[in-house]
Structure formats: C-alpha cells, structure tokens
Amino acid sequence: MKIDVHQHLGIRGIVAKEVRDLFDYVVLNPAYKYACMCCVDGFYQQWMWRRGKDYLQLGIYNPKCRVPAEIELGRQYDKGIVGIVLNPINHDFNLKDAWKVYQFAEDHDLPVFIYTGKGKGNPGDLKGIVEEFKVKFVLLHLGYPDYVEEAKELIKVDNVYGEVSLVPPSVLKEFPKEKLIYGSCYPYVPLSIIDDKEVLDNARKVIRF
C-alpha cells in the first residue's frame, strides 16, 4: 500500500497539481511553511477544500492558543482528523508544555506528528513524554538537520516513528526501516516517490485507515 502522510494541499496561497492518484491514501497537513503564530494554521481552509474529496487530514494546535486544547481539538476531531500536528519550530513553544495535546491524543487514540530539526523542535525534549502517554509519536523530518542524533535515540522507543521528508538518503540509512513512514511535504517540496514498499506502507502502524 502506498501512503503519503504529509501533503499541504488546500491551504490558502498554495497552487499545485493534485497527486492523489499516485497513492492509496494521502493525509493532509495544515501547517504553514513559514512562521505563523496562528492557533490552527490552515486547518479550516484545508478542511473546506478537501470536502467531497478522498483525502484524510491531520489536525493542528498551538499550545499558546487562547482556546483550550480540548475545545479546539474537539472541533477538529468532529471533522474527522486522523492525527494531530505540533509545530514547536514555528509556534515557538516547548514540547513539554503541550501535555494537554498529548492527553487529548491518548483519550481519542490519535497519533501526534511533531516538527523536528531546528529551534525548539528537538526530539530530545520528548524524552519521558513518549513513555508517559499511550500515544504514537511521529517525528517529522527525523530531527534533520540539527537534531538527528536525538531522533536516532528517541526512535528506539516502541511508540516513536520517523517521517522521511527532507531527510537525505544517507541519513535515512541510519534509522531502522520498520520505523520509517513516507511523507512528501508536497507541494512545499517537489514530489519524489520512493520505491521502498515497506516504508510506503508503514503508516498503517500509526494511523487508522
């Protein structure tokens, strides 16, 4: 099965060809490419765009939002999200301060996708958190470029996985293949499709399809 867990179609300002037909499942990510302190980035734009289309969607939440996590994520859950995105890099928060999001994810059996690689996106800050919560965590970009070693250590935990977009093949080889999940980051990044069937299928270990 071919699954892409990381496309940004449907957000205002993005004009790109749809590549849905290349995959069995495509999961939309509502995060903006550049820094934005929005509570939910492009979630509602993307949700409106995908209505009537065969896409799945992640929710997103900024812990600095005035609306409580359980209320905002509850709204998104009612709209059918299959996971939650945290973006400590653009939203400028410490991962240890997002415990309400982890709790919501645990209560609703949702995976949490976390941007890593620079700034406050250090996988090392999740140490302890990934053991405390019964949640599957996915490290977007696998800590590349600044926190690869921290990602390599954290991915040893059973409920932690890594998403491969933007990560050079030479770095990917240092991670266990059974823990890698395919994400393209399209159209922020030109689409490149890998031919590894295991990696393309691994998202089924994390998301309910």
Side-chain angles (χ1 to χ4, degrees):
M1 187 172 289
K2 297 179 180 179
I3 305 167
D4 185 350
V5 301
H6 193 171
Q7 289 193 17
H8 295 275
L9 293 169
I11 299 175
R12 186 179 299 120
I14 290 181
V15 179
K17 178 182 177 181
E18 292 186 52
V19 292
R20 173 67 186 84
D21 58 337
L22 299 178
F23 302 94
D24 296 294
Y25 292 98
V26 170
V27 183
L28 300 175
N29 182 329
Y32 286 123
K33 182 176 183 179
Y34 301 107
C36 172
M37 293 304 293
C38 308
C39 286
V40 295
D41 282 17
F43 175 79
Y44 290 100
Q45 302 163 27
Q46 198 173 64
W47 177 72
M48 290 291 292
W49 177 85
R50 78 170 174 90
R51 294 176 69 182
K53 298 183 179 182
D54 187 17
Y55 289 93
L56 301 174
Q57 187 180 10
L58 300 174
I60 192 168
Y61 183 75
N62 180 353
K64 293 183 175 181
C65 185
R66 291 185 301 171
V67 181
E70 60 273 19
I71 293 177
E72 176 52 48
L73 290 174
R75 294 169 181 163
Q76 298 180 28
Y77 183 78
D78 289 343
K79 289 176 168 52
I81 62 173
V82 297
I84 302 168
V85 176
L86 285 174
N87 194 343
I89 299 171
N90 285 0
H91 290 165
D92 191 35
F93 65 87
N94 192 305
L95 285 167
K96 295 179 181 179
D97 295 332
W99 65 270
K100 289 185 178 180
V101 176
Y102 310 135
Q103 188 62 63
F104 185 94
E106 180 177 282
D107 293 344
H108 295 81
D109 192 23
L110 294 172
V112 177
F113 291 73
I114 299 175
Y115 277 95
T116 64
K118 57 184 178 180
K120 292 186 177 178
N122 184 346
D125 291 338
L126 289 165
K127 188 175 181 181
I129 294 172
V130 296
E131 289 94 354
E132 179 179 354
F133 291 92
K134 296 178 180 179
V135 171
K136 292 178 180 177
F137 292 85
V138 180
L139 308 178
L140 296 171
H141 309 322
L142 278 170
Y144 184 81
D146 295 340
Y147 302 124
V148 172
E149 293 304 314
E150 289 83 350
K152 286 166 63 176
E153 187 64 27
L154 195 71
I155 209 168
K156 295 177 182 178
V157 182
D158 288 344
N159 58 325
V160 179
Y161 298 81
E163 182 267 347
V164 304
S165 65
L166 300 179
V167 186
S170 59
V171 176
L172 289 178
K173 291 178 181 178
E174 301 177 16
F175 289 86
K177 186 188 297 185
E178 66 272 14
K179 286 293 198 80
L180 298 181
I181 294 173
Y182 178 74
S184 65
C185 203
Y186 178 83
Y188 289 164
V189 176
L191 181 68
S192 59
I193 301 177
I194 61 174
D195 57 7
D196 193 305
K197 293 181 180 179
E198 181 179 355
V199 175
L200 283 166
D201 187 61
N202 275 342
R204 292 201 292 172
K205 299 176 181 179
V206 174
I207 297 176
R208 293 172 294 169
F209 292 99

